[in-house]
Amino acid sequence: MDKAKMVKIYRKMLEIRFFEEKVFELYGQNLVPGTIHLYAGQEAVAVGVCENLREDDYIVSTHRGHGHCIAKGAKLDKTMAEILGKKTGYCKGKGGSMHIADFSIGMLGATAVVGAGLPIATGAGLSIKLRGTDQVVACFFGDGASNQGTFHEAINIAAIWKLPVLFVCENNLYAMGTCQTQVMLLKDIAKRASAYGIPGVSVNGNNVLDIFEVAQEAGKRARNHEGPTLIECKTYRHKGHSRFDPATYRPKEEVKAWLEQDPLHQFKKWLLEAGNVETTYLDQIEKQVITAIESAVKFAKDSPYPDPHEALEDVHAEWR
Amino acid sequence: MDKAKMVKIYRKMLEIRFFEEKVFELYGQNLVPGTIHLYAGQEAVAVGVCENLREDDYIVSTHRGHGHCIAKGAKLDKTMAEILGKKTGYCKGKGGSMHIADFSIGMLGATAVVGAGLPIATGAGLSIKLRGTDQVVACFFGDGASNQGTFHEAINIAAIWKLPVLFVCENNLYAMGTCQTQVMLLKDIAKRASAYGIPGVSVNGNNVLDIFEVAQEAGKRARNHEGPTLIECKTYRHKGHSRFDPATYRPKEEVKAWLEQDPLHQFKKWLLEAGNVETTYLDQIEKQVITAIESAVKFAKDSPYPDPHEALEDVHAEWR
Amino acid sequence: MREITYRDALREALSEEMQKDETVFLLGEDIGRCWEGAFKVTKGLAEKFGDERVRDTPISESAIVGAAVGAAITGMHPIVEIMFGDLTTLAMDQIANQAAKIRYMFGGQVEVPLVVRTPFGGGVNIAAHHSQSLEAWFMHIPGLLVALPSTPYDAKGLLKTAIRGGDPVMFCEHKLLYPIKGLIPDEDYTVPFGVAEVRSEGKDVTIFATSFMIHKALEAARMLKKEGVSVEVMDPRTLVPLDKAKLISSVQKTGRLVIVSEGCKTAGVTAEIAAVVAEEAIDYLDAPIKRVAEPDTPIPFSPPLERYVLPNEKRIIKAVREII
Amino acid sequence: MREITYRDALREALSEEMQKDETVFLLGEDIGRCWEGAFKVTKGLAEKFGDERVRDTPISESAIVGAAVGAAITGMHPIVEIMFGDLTTLAMDQIANQAAKIRYMFGGQVEVPLVVRTPFGGGVNIAAHHSQSLEAWFMHIPGLLVALPSTPYDAKGLLKTAIRGGDPVMFCEHKLLYPIKGLIPDEDYTVPFGVAEVRSEGKDVTIFATSFMIHKALEAARMLKKEGVSVEVMDPRTLVPLDKAKLISSVQKTGRLVIVSEGCKTAGVTAEIAAVVAEEAIDYLDAPIKRVAEPDTPIPFSPPLERYVLPNEKRIIKAVREII
Ligand SMILES: Cc1ncc(C[n+]2csc(CCOP(=O)(O)OP(=O)(O)O)c2C)c(N)n1
Ligand SMILES: Cc1ncc(C[n+]2csc(CCOP(=O)(O)OP(=O)(O)O)c2C)c(N)n1
Ligand SMILES: [Mg+2]
Ligand SMILES: [Mg+2]
């Protein structure tokens, strides 16, 4: 991997981290309607996967989707505006945090129904196959989602039709307050791949380079018509599940241990030590990112809310 | 296994076979409304499993359920009457072939929605656990059903809660016209058990003694609070999927090979050769079975249809 | 004009649209060359268009519809067959939460051109899990269009419109209609959504009927005619969009309305139609509205029981007489 | 009498019935000790009754409801919590085809004593997948009972009735009702199904409203009173069974009917109520029926948009004025 790429990865991860910190702050100021599910702590997954994707590749996202959007190349300002319910947001304020999409960059949208994205990603894979392009789809979902029937049905279909889908399970150990160990006997969700005859890989979800490599391999297989891969990224969310969750169900030591393995800090350290990148350069990037986020926030704050009657638009396609 | 048990097994298998032949005949005479899914060819599965069950154990059945009913001990006459839509049938004619139940013997009913029985069986298992009895549940379903989301969700739940359920997959290679190889990459559906951390066993579904043993083992585990087992029985249906299906999608050689492994003939042969049972005794049983079926048919034919207005009864429980 | 069956009319629509548009493809359980559809609608299509475009699936209703959604939002025009309408219950999240809402939630960024074909209705003694009519559920979910052709002409024309459109369409067929015959033009044609058809003109009472019930309504109208009652029979052809204008003008003319539809009475199709008239045209009514539907029971298996719950000519005539 | 919240009232019902009847148990996602329910209804119950009877489940809606069905037909009284009503779509086969139909299909051999509790409704800006109201779907499926309490008193009393009964009950709560307070008796009581409650007597117009909308209707009634309009506000408390008699006698008295319910207008709760009156009591009406519901759109996220689609006092008052 060349330096430019490494730095780009760092920048993206930083963007996500700072973006989420800002969302958290704005939330405290009562500027974010509804609820939020922050991605902080899982940045390595979205970025490690998406850095293998082209603009015309697709992703399918979840309720915890800000990171996926940014990693795929969504604009910070329109993302933030959507989260604030503004007219200038990606979905004109209709979707909000849990339903961001940007079809112009292959971001096929987030669904707030846990597990509902897997069949949709499979369908995008089928579409690629039928259209005969060499695109791929990355489908993000959580450990909790892997107990939904859709997980089973969709991966099986992708397997038998050899569809170009990367099923990326972000195993952050919890689904709301429910620990993985309560709801499945397996330790490695990746092992479920064997039920469909496809490869399954468990990877350190806080190491962006590991993820990058695994996703690269899976991407190659996909583009080569060799079918889907199930990638399990073991990671951790830094905050509670949603708005008011203090996450007291997580043992303190566990939280501490994971925070020490912060994917961003680890990668920064690696860049400085093994990557031959200079601190000043990273500081510079950090400043740029902060500026970009500030300007996104300003854009979002300054943007108007949609007009109420716009609620009646966009239900049906144009042909009616 | 003692001789009496062996002979009982034979008798049950024979009952199912002759019963289904009769249903087919009555169907030809236009006495069976709707459609039918015959169990002929798969007798070893229902009998091999159910001979391990007590009367207070449960089974959950499918659209191809006559064999399950008879194996669990349902009365031939009330079963036949139900299939003919008569008032004297198990469900007063409301259920028909696809929805027979006999709660008095723990037959919790057949559902015609493929895969819908698995969660119900899991719930019966949960009920047993909560009530603290040592009953077990056997849940029958097909190869096709194992691609439903409910398969995944239900087995996972039974696994984590260690519920006393035998998930019995009758892999007859086809789901309607769809061959197993078209819709899953695995050869052995039992391997899917590993996705849930429970044992999975593939067994010759045309050998009743093999099935009996595997189910015995699984039953012991279940009664011992060690949790569920996935049992795959490789078998074959002798007829088409349903009423008018000539089953031409099945290669002739395949059909021939399987017919040669008829579970009933094999077991009969074994009884005569290894089991020390005399032909005359088996002939006698055969006669008894034929008589029993004839009388069931007579009962069913002679029974009245329900009164039309009975259609309005049984929607709600008594308390209203 | 040619006379063909409803089943063949559907197949022609599929075939012609697949011929014309490469992005149109079919998926569903047993629609391919081995079985060719539980009701044989896709007969011959796998041979003609190949297994890739006439795609057998595992028994995974939720993922089938979901896959169609994913294909629809990435440039394809999928047509799903769900073998029995009762089984749409298994895919209801993908239908009602995903397909129906994606366009809206994402601020109109994308269309979801997707057709779900499925047979509803009773009458063939296959009991509670294979005989329901659930159109009312779909009507209740904004974003979905709901078509329910009653003739071969409409079957072909509405299906073509559905395929050419950009919205998810719940295309509700009826098991007993597949073999019925009717005339269709030789050339390409479509039937627009939202345009009701008066199947028989009359002035004493309006019978609004859907799908297979149109034929029962026409039969009732013929019998009533003998008694001197002039019946207008109206077929909405699509429930979403609904041709309110035609419904209301017919009620304005006749002053009496009987609504006939399979599916359970409570909160069913007949409820919405009655409500529209009670809200927007009550002054034209000279009598109570009558609804003829299934009583609130599941569909029973045994023939005398099933006959008892399904709406028929007799019950329609009785309803008409009660308000004439 | 004590004043407690709707949330606490529900919890008391659960707790008291669990205390009384060993076969009653709870299952659902995050209802156990770690989270205690997304809306905290089950707070403290796991501690009190143990993890076996207050059972956290995987995210598997279909199997959760299915498991409850299996438990219900083998001697238990399960109470399922589905975290959001929108997610019942994932369990619709188990709800509508299994739970609802088992008793009927099997000729009355068994009861299915099962309660599915789930919150519906908008108003908290959580967009299209977490804000729907789908009661109309359940009404359409025979075999299900549908309760929708609007007060703490009813929440407790109806839930007890639901738990003690032998039928599957869709118990529809409302997100905005959880914190509201009301009086309940100290002693054990139940609220019967099928008995509507007149929340405010009046003679000029009847407002039939459900769930959270009762409070909007009462607010509207207060404001209209100032203008000299006397409004009768009726709360059905259960939609199945429906207290038709009380509805009709109120309409007979007032001659005017406004029906208010969240959920989309088309084929929704308001449709059935309008249809019942159009069929059985049209002669009492002096004006068209009015329906106040969500327009046919998904629920949008942004506050001004969401406010625009949800029914409110203003729209109710407007509807009343249009027919007064
Ligand atoms: C089908 C469904 N069930 C329940 C919920 C409520 N819910 C929202 S997020 C969540 C937990 C999801 O856990 P996981 O898949 O591990 O993702 P994570 O939140 O950890 O990123 C739940 C239960 C939902 N939105 N959809
Ligand atoms: C959910 C569902 N999808 C489709 C059908 C239609 N159908 C009935 S039986 C059947 C095939 C079932 O195959 P399998 O599970 O292998 O059982 P088998 O018929 O071979 O015994 C299908 C597709 C159904 N009844 N339910
Ligand atoms: Mg998680
Ligand atoms: Mg099979």
Side-chain angles (χ1 to χ4, degrees), chain B residues 122-137:
Chain B
T122 291
L126 175 57
S127 163
I128 291 169
K129 185 177 179 178
L130 289 170
R131 286 184 284 107
T133 69
D134 69 341
Q135 296 161 282
V136 303
V137 190

CSV table of all heavy atoms in Angstrom, one decimal, chain B residues 122-137:
chain,number,residue,atom,x,y,z
B,122,THR,N,-39.8,-25.0,18.7
B,122,THR,CA,-38.9,-24.4,19.6
B,122,THR,C,-39.7,-23.9,20.8
B,122,THR,O,-39.3,-24.0,22.0
B,122,THR,CB,-38.1,-23.2,18.9
B,122,THR,OG1,-37.2,-23.8,18.0
B,122,THR,CG2,-37.3,-22.4,19.9
B,123,GLY,N,-40.8,-23.3,20.6
B,123,GLY,CA,-41.7,-22.8,21.6
B,123,GLY,C,-42.2,-23.9,22.5
B,123,GLY,O,-42.3,-23.7,23.7
B,124,ALA,N,-42.5,-25.0,21.9
B,124,ALA,CA,-43.0,-26.2,22.7
B,124,ALA,C,-41.8,-26.6,23.6
B,124,ALA,O,-42.0,-27.0,24.7
B,124,ALA,CB,-43.5,-27.3,21.8
B,125,GLY,N,-40.6,-26.6,23.0
B,125,GLY,CA,-39.5,-27.0,23.8
B,125,GLY,C,-39.3,-26.0,25.0
B,125,GLY,O,-38.9,-26.4,26.1
B,126,LEU,N,-39.5,-24.8,24.7
B,126,LEU,CA,-39.3,-23.8,25.8
B,126,LEU,C,-40.4,-24.0,26.9
B,126,LEU,O,-40.1,-23.9,28.1
B,126,LEU,CB,-39.5,-22.4,25.2
B,126,LEU,CG,-39.5,-21.2,26.2
B,126,LEU,CD1,-38.3,-21.1,27.0
B,126,LEU,CD2,-39.7,-19.9,25.4
B,127,SER,N,-41.6,-24.3,26.4
B,127,SER,CA,-42.7,-24.6,27.4
B,127,SER,C,-42.3,-25.8,28.3
B,127,SER,O,-42.5,-25.8,29.5
B,127,SER,CB,-43.9,-24.9,26.5
B,127,SER,OG,-44.9,-25.6,27.3
B,128,ILE,N,-41.7,-26.8,27.7
B,128,ILE,CA,-41.3,-28.0,28.4
B,128,ILE,C,-40.2,-27.6,29.5
B,128,ILE,O,-40.3,-27.9,30.7
B,128,ILE,CB,-40.6,-29.0,27.5
B,128,ILE,CG1,-41.7,-29.7,26.6
B,128,ILE,CG2,-39.9,-30.1,28.3
B,128,ILE,CD1,-41.2,-30.5,25.5
B,129,LYS,N,-39.3,-26.8,29.0
B,129,LYS,CA,-38.2,-26.3,29.9
B,129,LYS,C,-38.8,-25.5,31.1
B,129,LYS,O,-38.5,-25.7,32.3
B,129,LYS,CB,-37.2,-25.4,29.2
B,129,LYS,CG,-36.0,-25.0,30.0
B,129,LYS,CD,-35.0,-24.2,29.2
B,129,LYS,CE,-33.9,-23.9,30.1
B,129,LYS,NZ,-32.8,-23.1,29.4
B,130,LEU,N,-39.7,-24.6,30.8
B,130,LEU,CA,-40.3,-23.8,31.8
B,130,LEU,C,-41.2,-24.6,32.8
B,130,LEU,O,-41.3,-24.3,34.0
B,130,LEU,CB,-41.1,-22.6,31.2
B,130,LEU,CG,-40.2,-21.6,30.5
B,130,LEU,CD1,-41.1,-20.6,29.7
B,130,LEU,CD2,-39.4,-20.8,31.5
B,131,ARG,N,-41.9,-25.6,32.2
B,131,ARG,CA,-42.7,-26.4,33.1
B,131,ARG,C,-41.9,-27.5,33.8
B,131,ARG,O,-42.4,-28.2,34.7
B,131,ARG,CB,-43.8,-27.0,32.2
B,131,ARG,CG,-44.9,-26.0,31.8
B,131,ARG,CD,-46.1,-26.7,31.1
B,131,ARG,NE,-45.8,-27.0,29.7
B,131,ARG,CZ,-45.5,-28.2,29.2
B,131,ARG,NH1,-45.6,-29.3,30.0
B,131,ARG,NH2,-45.2,-28.4,28.0
B,132,GLY,N,-40.7,-27.7,33.4
B,132,GLY,CA,-39.8,-28.6,34.1
B,132,GLY,C,-40.1,-30.0,33.9
B,132,GLY,O,-39.8,-30.9,34.8
B,133,THR,N,-40.8,-30.4,32.8
B,133,THR,CA,-41.0,-31.8,32.5
B,133,THR,C,-39.9,-32.4,31.8
B,133,THR,O,-39.0,-31.7,31.4
B,133,THR,CB,-42.3,-32.0,31.7
B,133,THR,OG1,-42.1,-31.5,30.4
B,133,THR,CG2,-43.5,-31.2,32.4
B,134,ASP,N,-39.9,-33.7,31.5
B,134,ASP,CA,-38.9,-34.3,30.7
B,134,ASP,C,-39.4,-34.7,29.3
B,134,ASP,O,-38.9,-35.7,28.7
B,134,ASP,CB,-38.2,-35.4,31.4
B,134,ASP,CG,-39.1,-36.6,31.5
B,134,ASP,OD1,-40.4,-36.4,31.4
B,134,ASP,OD2,-38.6,-37.8,31.7
B,135,GLN,N,-40.4,-34.0,28.8
B,135,GLN,CA,-40.8,-34.2,27.5
B,135,GLN,C,-39.8,-33.8,26.4
B,135,GLN,O,-38.9,-33.0,26.7
B,135,GLN,CB,-42.1,-33.5,27.2
B,135,GLN,CG,-43.3,-33.8,28.1
B,135,GLN,CD,-44.3,-32.7,28.1
B,135,GLN,OE1,-44.2,-31.7,28.7
B,135,GLN,NE2,-45.4,-32.8,27.3
B,136,VAL,N,-40.0,-34.2,25.2
B,136,VAL,CA,-39.2,-33.7,24.1
B,136,VAL,C,-40.2,-33.4,22.9
B,136,VAL,O,-41.3,-33.8,22.9
B,136,VAL,CB,-38.2,-34.7,23.6
B,136,VAL,CG1,-37.2,-35.1,24.7
B,136,VAL,CG2,-38.8,-35.9,22.9
B,137,VAL,N,-39.7,-32.6,22.0
B,137,VAL,CA,-40.4,-32.3,20.7
B,137,VAL,C,-39.6,-32.8,19.5
B,137,VAL,O,-38.4,-32.6,19.5
B,137,VAL,CB,-40.5,-30.7,20.6
B,137,VAL,CG1,-41.5,-30.4,19.5
B,137,VAL,CG2,-40.8,-30.0,21.9
